[in-house]
Amino acid sequence: MSRAGPGSGPLPGSIPRAWQYALVGGAVSMPLTLAAYWSSGANDHFSFNMVVVGGLIAGFLARRYSADVSAASLRAGVIGGLAGYVWIAPTILASASSFADAWSSPPAKALLFVVFSAVVLGAAAIPGLFGGLVGAWLCRKTGQERAVAASG
């Protein structure tokens, strides 16, 4: 049995604040990422520039409300990159298929698809983190930090 009182932890079923801010930042960057992709006319690649915006929002909010800036902004980057990932997934699958065919190994196709997908989503996390660090810096410089009262 825990010594902590009834109000000392997060409510059961509630989403941690870092995830809340990541979802907000990612939701903002998804349409921006797709809009930038469609306006560029590119068919097989996309830019993560708009993922920086989602990371910036997540980092700003995380810093403002005393959540983990790095966690929120990395997650916002991955969430924001999902929109572009879904769009280029067929190209990733084609690349994995061609590598697997070259090796004459059909099971390698699935493994390569997973590896290539992880690389793309991992690459989306980096601009999200960069944006988050800038957002946290902006929050600190503008004096927007708020002290969050501890429950209990």
Side-chain angles (χ1 to χ4, degrees):
M1 198 163 167
S2 174
R3 292 181 148 194
S8 63
L11 296 173
S14 68
I15 299 173
R17 284 185 306 189
W19 270 108
Q20 291 174 5
Y21 305 140
L23 290 170
V24 169
V28 167
S29 67
M30 279 180 150
L32 296 175
T33 300
L34 287 176
Y37 176 76
W38 284 326
S39 68
S40 72
N43 291 329
D44 60 352
H45 67 281
F46 65 95
S47 171
F48 290 121
N49 292 340
M50 295 299 126
V51 174
V52 173
V53 175
L56 187 135
I57 292 168
F60 185 92
L61 291 172
R63 177 68 181 217
R64 185 173 188 187
Y65 298 108
S66 303
D68 186 352
V69 171
S70 297
S73 55
L74 282 169
R75 293 168 187 167
V78 171
I79 293 167
L82 282 174
Y85 168 75
V86 169
W87 197 263
I88 67 164
T91 304
I92 294 172
L93 184 59
S95 297
S97 294
S98 71
F99 276 105
D101 290 345
W103 294 338
S104 300
S105 175
K109 179 179 175 180
L111 177 64
L112 288 171
F113 180 73
V114 169
V115 169
F116 292 166
S117 296
V119 168
V120 169
L121 291 174
I126 295 168
L129 177 61
F130 175 73
L133 295 175
V134 171
W137 177 81
L138 283 172
C139 182
R140 188 175 60 249
K141 285 296 185 185
T142 59
Q144 296 293 316
E145 291 178 280
R146 292 186 178 174
V148 177
S151 300

